[in-house]
Amino acid sequence: MSEKVAIQAEKLSYAFPETGTAVRDISFRLPEGSSTILIGPNGSGKTTLLKLLIGLLDPQQGFVQIYGRKPKDARSLIGY
C-alpha cells in the first residue's frame, strides 16, 4: 500500500532581487500524517520555503503541490 503524499516540492528555487538566493533546488515529499521539523540558522530560507508552500510566494523554478493542488488552491487544507 502506498502512502498518500500531503506535500510535494520538486526542484524548488526562489531568489529575492535585493538579497539573492533564498531557496535553491529543494525537493521533498511529506506523507500524510507525518511530522516534520524545519531548522536552520537565520537567513537560511526557512520562512521563504514556508511562504512558497502556502502560496504567498510563487516559485521561480520548480513546483509545489499540497494534496495534488497548487498551494493557493489548498490553503484551506493547511495552517501557517
Side-chain angles (χ1 to χ4, degrees):
M1 185 174 187
S2 65
E3 295 178 324
K4 185 172 184 179
V5 176
I7 301 174
Q8 178 178 354
E10 293 293 331
K11 299 189 182 282
L12 195 60
S13 294
Y14 189 86
F16 293 99
E18 59 278 356
T19 57
T21 301
V23 174
R24 182 185 308 140
D25 198 32
I26 299 209
S27 297
F28 60 88
R29 290 185 177 137
L30 301 177
E32 184 177 46
S34 68
S35 296
T36 302
I37 298 172
L38 183 60
I39 60 172
N42 291 346
S44 64
K46 300 178 302 290
T47 300
T48 301
L49 177 59
L50 290 174
K51 288 180 177 182
L52 289 163
L53 293 177
I54 63 171
L56 291 178
L57 295 174
D58 292 322
Q60 292 166 332
Q61 292 182 345
F63 71 91
V64 175
Q65 289 185 333
I66 309 294
Y67 288 103
R69 302 179 191 177
K70 292 181 180 181
K72 289 178 184 176
D73 298 333
R75 284 191 183 154
S76 65
L77 303 174
I78 56 176
Y80 171 69

